[in-house]
Amino acid sequence: MRRKALRAAFPYTLPICVGFLFMGMSYGFLMHSQGFPLLYPVLMSIFIFAGSMEFLTVELLLSAFAPLHAFLLALMVNARHLFYGLSMLDKYRGAGWKKPYLIFGMCDESFSINCTVDPPAGVDRGWFMFFVTLLNHIYWVTGATLGALLGYVVHFDTTGIEFVMTALFVVMFLDQWADAKDHRPALLGLGCSAVCLAVFGSGGFIIPAMCLIILSFLLTRRQLEAPPRRTKPAPERKEERV
């Protein structure tokens, strides 16, 4: 049963494998460039397993000790998983001892597969979801480990490599902008971030900006859920018959 579920889950995770290996390698290499030993990216990728938050953790470890700031930042960045979890309650029911790991290892990619893909006939859903989650977890840990090891072999000036985190979020924003038809939420988020940047400065605007974005979304929920208005095309003129 387990081998059958593994064979069924593996093909769905192959595209994720490619992305996770490259992203994980960039994370591991970033950790090494900032002076962290190999053990740090390996353990963090195993126990945190939240790509964007792991990149942010590099800065948190290098900055002043602020546990409340770190907690709020992690909560804001990963708040979407609260909604993921609610939608997966029925699917995880009956998973037994696998359920805690499925909850821990639920990333965006694992969620998209486990939420939309029905296992083939004769394959247990619990084991299928377990192997999807486990394989994606292995890909990320492997990528982070390889990136950290690469740092010991490849030696070049790593000045500015920490910008990879900013580039990651910019690419994610542009990708979502291209996929979305309604850009009002994105513009609202940009506006809130710009206001908080002007008020609090570059060193402390992230938490206020996220709080303001959430508050703005709650206050404008009805307007955002309504479809954007479209200008009506001008009526065609009928040709007068002579």
Side-chain angles (χ1 to χ4, degrees):
M1 179 185 297
R2 283 176 284 186
R3 290 184 179 180
K4 193 173 182 179
L6 176 60
R7 288 195 298 266
F10 179 68
Y12 290 100
T13 64
L14 277 179
I16 300 170
C17 173
V18 178
F20 272 21
L21 285 178
F22 281 100
M23 286 299 301
M25 288 178 67
S26 65
Y27 165 68
F29 195 85
L30 173 64
M31 288 288 291
H32 175 79
S33 68
Q34 297 300 311
F36 292 98
L38 174 64
L39 194 62
Y40 273 75
V42 174
L43 293 180
M44 287 171 62
S45 59
I46 291 175
F47 292 107
I48 298 179
F49 190 40
S52 55
M53 192 60 219
E54 288 181 49
F55 280 93
L56 290 173
T57 305
V58 180
E59 296 297 327
L60 292 176
L61 291 174
L62 295 174
S63 58
F65 180 66
L68 181 60
H69 174 82
F71 171 76
L72 292 176
L73 183 62
L75 180 63
M76 295 293 181
V77 171
N78 296 296
R80 66 189 185 279
H81 291 284
L82 297 173
F83 303 97
Y84 289 174
L86 291 174
S87 64
M88 295 298 289
L89 286 175
D90 290 336
K91 292 183 180 293
Y92 286 173
R93 186 172 294 144
W97 61 267
K98 298 182 287 296
K99 186 175 181 179
Y101 178 72
L102 290 172
I103 295 172
F104 161 77
M106 185 177 61
C107 60
D108 297 349
E109 293 76 11
S110 298
F111 168 78
S112 63
I113 296 176
N114 290 333
C115 184
T116 58
V117 175
D118 291 324
V123 175
D124 180 75
R125 174 177 288 275
W127 280 110
F128 177 82
M129 294 189 297
F130 174 81
F131 282 118
V132 167
T133 305
L134 179 63
L135 288 171
N136 289 335
H137 197 177
I138 291 173
Y139 301 150
W140 180 257
V141 175
T142 302
T145 304
L146 290 176
L149 291 174
L150 184 65
Y152 290 98
V153 179
V154 179
H155 301 282
F156 61 90
D157 185 10
T158 58
T159 303
I161 194 174
E162 63 273 7
F163 186 75
V164 68
M165 182 180 66
T166 304
L168 168 67
F169 286 107
V170 170
V171 171
M172 291 172 62
F173 174 80
L174 293 176
D175 184 60
Q176 293 182 6
W177 178 279
D179 291 339
K181 296 180 180 179
D182 185 5
H183 300 308
R184 291 176 297 173
L187 294 174
L188 182 61
L190 288 175
C192 293
S193 301
V195 170
C196 291
L197 178 62
V199 174
F200 299 99
S202 60
F205 82 101
I206 295 180
I207 297 298
M210 289 184 172
C211 293
L212 183 59
I213 290 172
I214 293 175
L215 180 61
S216 300
F217 283 163
L218 291 175
L219 294 177
T220 60
R221 178 182 175 184
R222 293 183 179 179
Q223 291 81 358
L224 293 176
E225 288 180 346
R229 295 180 180 178
R230 296 180 180 178
T231 56
K232 295 182 180 181
E236 297 180 359
R237 296 181 178 179
K238 296 182 180 180
E239 297 180 356
E240 296 183 357
R241 296 183 180 179
V242 180

